[in-house]
Amino acid sequence: MGRKSLKTPRQQEIIKAFYQLAKKEGLENASIAKTAALIDINPSLVMHYFKSRESLIDSLIEFILDKYLLIYRIQDDVNAGPKKNLLKVIDNIFSNKWNALFADSVSYSCYSMAFRNKSIKRKYKDLLDTLRDNLQQLIADCKNRGILSVQDPVQTADIIFVLVDGAYYYLCLVSDKKEYQQKLNQYKKQAISLLNFVSSSAR
Amino acid sequence: MGRKSLKTPRQQEIIKAFYQLAKKEGLENASIAKTAALIDINPSLVMHYFKSRESLIDSLIEFILDKYLLIYRIQDDVNAGPKKNLLKVIDNIFSNKWNALFADSVSYSCYSMAFRNKSIKRKYKDLLDTLRDNLQQLIADCKNRGILSVQDPVQTADIIFVLVDGAYYYLCLVSDKKEYQQKLNQYKKQAISLLNFVSSSAR
DNA sequence: AAATAAATTGAATATACGTTCAATTTATTT
DNA sequence: AAATAAATTGAACGTATATTCAATTTATTT
């Protein structure tokens, strides 16, 4: 009896609007009123689904962090073999596609909150560790089949993501498209060289 | 005639207070009123020296970015030879000292504004390029004297800073002190290995 | 059709914000 | 001591903010 709950889809809609607003005007300028106006609902409705602005931001962070994991899901072919899988993921990481999935600006704003909010800190740390762990598994697969030769897949995965994070930290400031692409390719090469693939005609 | 100008020292005092506030409560919560209260002056005085909050933030960013350059100035001995100089800088970069110089939290908040503010974007880009250029010169010095062997000092300096920025991006999320130190050392080793020092008994 | 429960609205609150402007204080020079 | 110019204050402004609560609308069930 009573009405069917619209909780989940409405919450999603609100988070998405809040995110788009933060992307456009900065997280610090993304307000509940503006968010409500964007999807043509009453500001009170936002408060109904999120107890506070803080919890809305909390949901926004989860929304963003989930998107990061997509690098591992954009694989056309699941059983393409470990080498192809690994290279595909590297491709995804160093592609504009991934970067287009979410706005770095919002993510950096959220990230900066980790310094004062332990829950946010943990969420970011968990994500970064998950990203590393997934890559480590792909590397380990390749290592076990003699496709590449690295000492410790865990360390290699870690270093590669350090490279990735540092790369985008710089690249986000590069306006020139050519410079951007050239640097991105260079960083990608560096990452692949860290993987130390065994050169052979076989795959 | 008239009164002696206190402009510069007052501005510095205000910026510093604003910075400390941003460090403690987050940049988004650092207000002009709070800043004035912190150093016991009238909020109007802040507005007198900075036309707007925006320009105050602009000054804050310059204040922060200047601190980054200190890695190159903490050298006890200027004429210690190129190798020692380079290693000292690497030491500084991968030390807690440097990290203690400024609050990453504030810097990341400011950094995130670069996405919507071209002037801020340029300032950050310029800083990162300056940091790279200084390191490149130290590397080139060493290369010219056969101390190390790298293909292109410019690229090496770039990669090292990519490593540094990526390293701190992860490390800022690490609460455990042991893990922090261990990772930091590992990243430092990686950076040094990129420098490919020529092993010899001579220095 | 009545009952029910969730969705949604609208009005109201208090608060803090950035910014303004005129008035006043303070130090320095003539 | 008078003149000067900068430092500093205090009051006031309108605005947007997050959040509250009661009232109303809407869809679904009995």
Side-chain angles (χ1 to χ4, degrees):
Chain A
M1 46 196 111
R3 200 171 161 177
K4 192 175 142 199
S5 173
L6 299 177
K7 195 173 180 178
T8 311
R10 256 289 192 251
Q11 281 181 328
Q12 283 303 112
E13 191 188 5
I14 292 168
I15 292 168
K16 219 170 168 178
F18 188 62
Y19 163 75
Q20 281 168 339
L21 209 61
K23 193 164 133 188
K24 197 179 177 186
E25 308 186 14
L27 182 59
E28 66 275 15
N29 298 316
S31 71
I32 287 169
K34 286 182 196 167
T35 304
L38 196 64
I39 52 178
D40 221 57
I41 62 171
N42 197 288
S44 306
L45 196 56
V46 177
M47 294 305 295
H48 178 242
Y49 287 117
F50 301 89
K51 297 160 297 181
S52 63
R53 186 185 129 99
E54 207 181 330
S55 82
L56 177 54
I57 289 181
D58 233 57
S59 299
L60 172 70
I61 288 172
E62 279 169 14
F63 173 80
I64 289 175
L65 297 193
D66 275 348
K67 296 213 169 186
Y68 276 93
L69 293 168
L70 291 177
I71 2 163
Y72 294 111
R73 294 194 201 127
I74 315 181
Q75 299 176 43
D76 338 83
D77 207 338
V78 184
N79 295 326
K83 183 174 182 180
K84 281 207 168 176
N85 276 343
L86 177 55
L87 285 175
K88 181 69 189 167
V89 166
I90 297 288
D91 263 358
N92 285 341
I93 293 174
F94 291 96
S95 82
N96 299 327
K97 258 184 271 169
W98 185 35
N99 224 309
L101 283 179
F102 54 88
D104 295 285
S105 63
V106 184
S107 185
Y108 277 113
S109 286
C110 294
Y111 174 88
S112 75
M113 291 182 171
F115 291 87
R116 276 158 282 115
N117 184 317
K118 283 192 180 177
S119 148
I120 294 178
K121 193 175 195 169
R122 189 153 338 117
K123 275 177 193 156
Y124 264 90
K125 177 72 157 50
D126 282 352
L127 170 79
L128 264 51
D129 285 334
T130 303
L131 289 172
R132 279 157 168 76
D133 198 55
N134 287 1
L135 184 61
Q136 171 262 315
Q137 280 174 32
L138 289 171
I139 295 174
D141 275 3
C142 287
K143 184 185 177 182
N144 291 338
R145 299 186 194 186
I147 295 168
L148 50 74
S149 166
V150 299
Q151 226 186 16
D152 181 5
V154 173
Q155 260 193 39
T156 306
D158 183 36
I159 286 289
I160 285 180
F161 267 108
V162 163
L163 205 67
V164 170
D165 293 331
Y168 282 110
Y169 185 80
Y170 184 83
L171 287 172
C172 284
L173 302 172
V174 175
S175 302
D176 185 75
K177 284 190 179 180
K178 259 192 181 171
E179 188 189 349
Y180 187 101
Q181 201 55 51
Q182 183 228 316
K183 290 259 185 189
L184 187 60
N185 285 335
Q186 187 191 313
Y187 299 144
K188 183 179 174 180
K189 256 188 195 165
Q190 186 79 22
I192 290 177
S193 86
L194 284 170
L195 288 172
N196 200 25
F197 280 105
V198 173
S199 59
S200 85
S201 50
R203 50 165 80 186
Chain B
M1 44 195 110
R3 201 171 160 177
K4 192 175 143 199
S5 173
L6 299 176
K7 195 173 180 179
T8 310
R10 256 290 190 250
Q11 281 182 329
Q12 283 304 111
E13 191 188 5
I14 292 168
I15 292 168
K16 219 170 168 178
F18 187 61
Y19 163 75
Q20 280 169 340
L21 210 60
K23 193 162 132 188
K24 198 177 176 188
E25 309 187 13
L27 182 59
E28 66 276 14
N29 298 316
S31 71
I32 287 170
K34 286 182 195 167
T35 304
L38 196 63
I39 51 178
D40 221 56
I41 62 171
N42 199 287
S44 308
L45 195 55
V46 177
M47 293 305 294
H48 178 242
Y49 287 117
F50 301 89
K51 296 159 299 181
S52 63
R53 187 183 127 99
E54 207 180 330
S55 82
L56 178 54
I57 289 182
D58 233 58
S59 300
L60 172 69
I61 288 172
E62 279 168 14
F63 174 79
I64 290 176
L65 297 194
D66 276 348
K67 296 213 168 186
Y68 277 92
L69 293 168
L70 291 176
I71 2 165
Y72 294 110
R73 295 196 200 126
I74 315 181
Q75 299 175 41
D76 340 83
D77 207 339
V78 184
N79 293 326
K83 184 173 181 180
K84 280 207 170 178
N85 275 343
L86 177 55
L87 285 176
K88 181 70 188 166
V89 167
I90 296 288
D91 263 359
N92 285 341
I93 293 174
F94 291 96
S95 81
N96 299 327
K97 258 185 272 167
W98 185 36
N99 223 310
L101 284 177
F102 54 88
D104 294 285
S105 62
V106 184
S107 184
Y108 277 113
S109 286
C110 294
Y111 174 88
S112 75
M113 290 182 172
F115 290 87
R116 276 158 282 115
N117 183 317
K118 284 192 179 176
S119 150
I120 294 178
K121 193 174 194 170
R122 189 151 339 116
K123 276 177 192 157
Y124 264 90
K125 178 73 157 51
D126 283 353
L127 169 79
L128 263 52
D129 284 335
T130 302
L131 288 173
R132 279 158 169 75
D133 198 57
N134 287 1
L135 184 62
Q136 171 263 315
Q137 281 174 31
L138 290 172
I139 295 174
D141 275 2
C142 286
K143 184 184 177 180
N144 291 337
R145 299 185 195 185
I147 295 167
L148 50 74
S149 166
V150 298
Q151 225 186 18
D152 180 6
V154 173
Q155 261 192 38
T156 306
D158 183 35
I159 286 288
I160 286 180
F161 267 108
V162 162
L163 205 67
V164 171
D165 294 330
Y168 282 109
Y169 184 80
Y170 184 83
L171 287 173
C172 284
L173 302 172
V174 175
S175 302
D176 184 75
K177 285 190 178 180
K178 259 192 181 171
E179 188 190 347
Y180 187 102
Q181 202 55 52
Q182 183 227 316
K183 289 260 185 188
L184 189 59
N185 286 335
Q186 186 192 314
Y187 298 144
K188 184 179 175 181
K189 256 189 197 166
Q190 186 78 24
I192 290 177
S193 86
L194 283 169
L195 288 172
N196 200 24
F197 280 105
V198 173
S199 59
S200 84
S201 51
R203 51 163 81 183

